Amino acid sequence: MSEQLIHIEFEAGRTLRDQVRAHLVSMILAGKIATDVALPSSRRMAEMLGVSRNTIMQIYEDLVDMEYLVSKPRLGYFVNTAFHEQEAMLSPVSASDGQELDWSTRFKTHPGNKRNIIKPSNWANFTYPFIYGQIATDLFPERSWRECGQKAMSQHSGKHWAFDWIDGDDPLLLEQLRSNILPRRGIYAEASEILVTIGTQNSLYMIANLLADKNTRVGLENPGFPDVKNIFSTFNAQLSFFDVDQDGLILNEESEAELARLDYLYLTPSHQVPTGAVMSSERRKRLMHLAELHDVVIIEDDYDAEINLQKEAQPALRAVDPQERVIYVGSMSKAIAPGVRLGFMVANEELISEARALRRLMYRHVPVHNQRQLALFISQGYFDSYLRKMRESYAHKLGLMEMAISRHLPQFKVLSHGSGATSLWLEAPVAVDTEQLSWRAAKNSILIEPGAIHFAGDDPRKNYLRLGFAAITADKIEPGIAALGRLLD
């Protein structure tokens, strides 16, 4: 082994120490290093990899502490023989001559067949990423977030973060939600009425699991959030679709008659998905009256509420709900970062109790360390500071987007003026198929989202699109819109 050449293609953004250690661990686990031959000396390994000798010495000592290596005096470092025994246990079993199992006949549902929004994993490599649901990482307060993570590890006496909390939530996070986050939306709730989840979709899936079956009638917005349609259809609910306009869900004689037949109505009144429409106060009052009259439960997805760019934001429907017929779901994914994957549900205590029991069967509880880190981030004032910077940035970008579209896409109609927190919903001329436009744009390093996926029915409207502006830098907005305009020409 001492004469074997070891080569690593180092990546930017990761320390050399981490990359060398990961490479050696990978080689050990793959059985590529013999147990009876010493690894190269620290000096020789440092020369081969072009790193400092101290770095190699630290890595070797780390691997000894982790029992990947053993140190033999005057002989050097050797691979622990236990890993070769483990490799033998994991060796592949020879293929059977029998017929391969047909899994397709065993599925009771096929979530993989449902249509959904397609987002490329390499979106950050696009020159003009008008992608929705991502953030510009230059604003994120990494130092503050890291500090809260370190405090979360140290503040739990007895290292409670390492234990199984069965079905519980972190009391500090519950307190921050009920005293800091929810009152901003006019909601005052007891801890027993709040459940921490791993995001809005997780909340919606549990709601559908608990409340929906083939006899359940659920109303959805059109256009709307594709995943909520997929979730309720997975539980065979009967779906009805309600059109929206600039004031949100349309309430007229026809839609009110359909609403009277519902059990549940899902909607996004603060920022309608995907149009960005804000439901007017008149419609909110009318909707709450109809819900009470016909005993309809409302599932309120308070989408993008935290980064609201409106001067006078409407309170949540849950805030004006004396009968507790509104199930409120929220998320910190947009307000902090999508990778945080933390959300919450607020509802009647009986429903929360059942949802907690269901969550226990699914994944018991949200990781305690993550909950405490978020709670500290809010309580220490970092969240409000970050939120102010985000709003300023997004308001600036929104202005740039609207000016650029007016200049370079004059034939497009912006349908979410002033209410787009992180995206704009556009109507293109009828002749424009935005699905085809998105493919042409992608070939020119422009990422846009065609809108057909948001419409119900077999013949969705194809001349709509959503342009996100949270992740793209301000200086790329006008050049990107101009490049998109040239494609149309």
Side-chain angles (χ1 to χ4, degrees), residues 78-96:
F78 293 77
V79 172
N80 189 335
T81 56
F83 285 99
H84 273 237
E85 294 166 4
Q86 189 178 55
E87 182 203 356
M89 289 167 33
L90 296 176
S91 58
V93 179
S94 58
S96 170

Side-chain angles (χ1 to χ4, degrees), residues 152-185:
M153 293 287 287
S154 61
Q155 286 195 355
H156 283 295
S157 59
K159 296 185 178 180
H160 289 173
W161 53 266
F163 301 148
D164 182 358
W165 282 40
I166 314 302
D167 62 0
D169 291 317
D170 180 20
L172 182 59
L173 179 56
L174 290 176
E175 182 57 30
Q176 289 303 312
L177 289 173
R178 64 185 296 272
S179 65
N180 192 321
I181 301 300
L182 292 173
R184 303 169 191 236
R185 306 293 298 123

Side-chain angles (χ1 to χ4, degrees), residues 392-447:
E392 290 173 3
S393 173
Y394 292 168
H396 175 59
K397 289 182 180 180
L398 175 60
L400 294 176
M401 288 286 292
E402 292 182 331
M403 285 192 295
I405 291 168
S406 174
R407 184 174 302 154
H408 302 289
L409 296 173
Q411 67 274 54
F412 281 57
K413 184 179 180 181
V414 179
L415 302 178
S416 48
H417 275 293
S419 62
T422 58
S423 66
L424 288 176
W425 180 248
L426 280 71
E427 180 183 1
V430 176
V432 177
D433 184 333
T434 58
E435 183 94 9
Q436 295 180 10
L437 177 61
S438 70
W439 284 108
R440 292 178 59 200
K443 291 179 181 179
N444 289 270
S445 203
I446 308 169
L447 185 57

Side-chain angles (χ1 to χ4, degrees), residues 230-242:
N230 293 337
I231 287 170
F232 278 101
S233 65
T234 297
F235 292 92
N236 301 310
Q238 302 172 35
L239 303 182
S240 299
F241 295 93
F242 293 76

